[in-house]
Amino acid sequence: MSADCIFCKIVNGSIPAKKIYEDEDHIAFNDINPSARVHFLIVPKLHVESLASCEAQHQALLGKMLLLAPKLAKEQGLAGFKTLINTGKDGGQLVFHIHVHVLGGGNVPLKV
Ligand code: 5GP
Ligand code: ZN
């Protein structure tokens, strides 16, 4: 948990989000500013800044996060989808709590 992190606040419920999934390790919620008809984020509850700060100890968490993408995409009615992990300021990351974007349902941009 990091005090000024928006996604930690969504995880602990102090900021609302349109949650589509939750288990002991992850939550998923709709992006507040969607770039496609369906656009949600899969977020580990553990505060890890980015993919670049992950280590061997995070392997299972990363694997679970990725495996949730096809499961939740299917639940959202998507036949196909795009995943994206922005990493670091130069990689377009705005929220420094690791997350996977899942986009689909038409109007999927090449870049986000
Ligand atoms: P990044 O550029 O870090 O990969 O993407 C962060 C994403 O989080 C952006 O697509 C942005 O719209 C979304 N986002 C930022 N703040 C909030 C928020 O308070 N609630 C929700 N649901 N999404 C947010
Ligand atoms: Zn956080």
Side-chain angles (χ1 to χ4, degrees), residues 6 45 59 74 88:
I6 292 173
K45 291 185 170 177
Q59 188 169 330
K74 193 173 176 192

Side-chain angles (χ1 to χ4, degrees), residues 1-2 5-9 44-48 96-98:
M1 167 81 195
S2 168
C5 172
I6 292 173
F7 287 176
C8 282
K9 288 179 180 167
K45 291 185 170 177
L46 183 71
H47 180 86
V48 180
F96 286 83
H97 180 136
I98 191 171

Side-chain angles (χ1 to χ4, degrees), residues 6-7 10 15-18 29-35 39 41 84-87 91-97 99 101 112:
I6 292 173
F7 287 176
I10 290 176
I15 288 183
K18 186 97 199 313
F29 50 87
N30 289 331
D31 196 294
I32 203 165
N33 184 22
S35 296
H39 182 178
L41 307 172
L84 181 74
I85 303 176
N86 292 322
T87 302
Q93 187 174 3
L94 298 172
V95 177
F96 286 83
H97 180 136
H99 52 280
H101 294 253
V112 176

Side-chain angles (χ1 to χ4, degrees), residues 43-66:
V43 179
K45 291 185 170 177
L46 183 71
H47 180 86
V48 180
E49 276 200 7
S50 78
L51 192 55
S53 29
C54 286
E55 297 177 353
Q57 72 202 57
H58 301 115
Q59 188 169 330
L61 201 70
L62 291 172
K64 281 187 179 178
M65 182 171 74
L66 276 187

Side-chain angles (χ1 to χ4, degrees), residues 66-83:
L66 276 187
L67 284 172
L68 281 171
K71 171 185 156 64
L72 299 182
K74 193 173 176 192
E75 285 176 14
Q76 296 298 307
L78 299 178
F81 58 90
K82 184 188 293 290
T83 49

